[in-house]
Amino acid sequence: IPIPPGLLVAVPQQNREDPAKGQFQVQMVNDTDERFEVSSVQFVWDGYTTPVTPRDSTIVAGQIIDFPVAFPGATCVGNGLVDTMPPPENAVVLLGLEDGSVREVPVIDRWHLARRLYLEDCQRQFIAASVTIVWADLHEEQFDGRPVTAGLLRLTRGAGTGTITIDTISGTIPYSFEPVDTAADEPVIMLGAGDDVGEVPIRFTESRCDPHALAEVKQPHKFVAQVDLGDGVLRPFIVVPDQRDWVPMRRTADEACVVTGQVVFVGEETPAVPATSGP
């Protein structure tokens, strides 16, 4: 979508840090000869409206500047799909100015980000209303000679009426996901149409142990499940452990990296091998 010349416009976008922070950027593109002393920023749309974010910034003529704003979650209309989505071209950004006035700035959804955030969150809300998916009873135990995080994947029926299936769950950079009793070619879990609750044993093992990968990870505990609500459509859904489990999980994975000799120190090309005692 092109940006019209000679105007002050707002372009929604995200950098690589933003999803983990639950935010997006309102990029102000000032192609006018005006100067704006900004005291607040708010993204306003029928699809979602952010809180007013205080600012103390100046936008000069010809400048492009990003303002981070919290993503509040979508206000889903109709079925939450694109055919009932409010038109993104109706969105505006309200710039509060130091003199107490408010400038209404048109939004150009150049990268289709406003649309994508809306559709993804409406899908998340639809799945969450149909079934509650949680990690339960996470704890450390031994597996193949090293510590792992074990527990349960639990499904509790909500508004969904058919058979609910989790086909696969992907791992993250620090963790590999393994269903304990499920064959590789089988779904992780199926909740039959007549069942209200179902659970299966699972474990998280260490995945990447090299410091370069671990230093770059932004969302280590967001596991993506592919969920079928009974209509044959696989929908991605992020399943996050309780925050109190994050530190124990990471500590267990780090210990497993050491025990299995996969620890790689910066500058080394091969993993460090644990020392062994003599005969």
Side-chain angles (χ1 to χ4, degrees), residues 14 55 60 67 89 103 126 147 195 202 208 263 268-269:
Q14 275 187 323
R55 302 296 305 182
V60 299
F67 294 133
E89 57 268 26
R103 177 73 172 251
F126 177 63
D195 298 327
I202 57 89
R208 296 281 295 273
V263 174
E268 290 187 346
E269 295 183 356

Side-chain angles (χ1 to χ4, degrees), residues 1-4 7-13 24-32 41-44 59 63-67 69 88-95 103-114:
I1 299 176
I3 296 178
L7 298 175
L8 173 68
V9 300
V11 179
Q13 66 172 20
F24 64 99
Q25 304 287 327
V26 172
Q27 183 177 82
M28 305 304 302
V29 181
N30 185 12
D31 195 32
T32 75
V41 179
Q42 184 181 29
F43 182 92
V44 178
I59 308 175
Q63 186 178 16
I64 298 175
I65 184 171
D66 291 352
F67 294 133
V69 293
E89 57 268 26
N90 291 349
V92 296
V93 165
L94 300 182
L95 277 188
R103 177 73 172 251
E104 185 174 291
V105 181
V107 169
I108 306 297
D109 195 18
R110 184 180 189 183
W111 313 114
H112 304 290
L113 177 72

Side-chain angles (χ1 to χ4, degrees), residues 120 123-129 131-134 166 168-170 222-227 234-240:
E120 288 180 352
Q123 178 169 263
R124 179 196 63 79
Q125 293 181 40
F126 177 63
I127 296 172
V131 60
T132 299
I133 307 170
V134 297
I166 294 185
T168 61
I169 298 180
S170 61
K222 291 190 174 182
F223 299 90
V224 180
Q226 298 295 329
V227 184
L234 289 177
R235 299 173 173 88
F237 185 78
I238 295 173
V239 189
V240 181

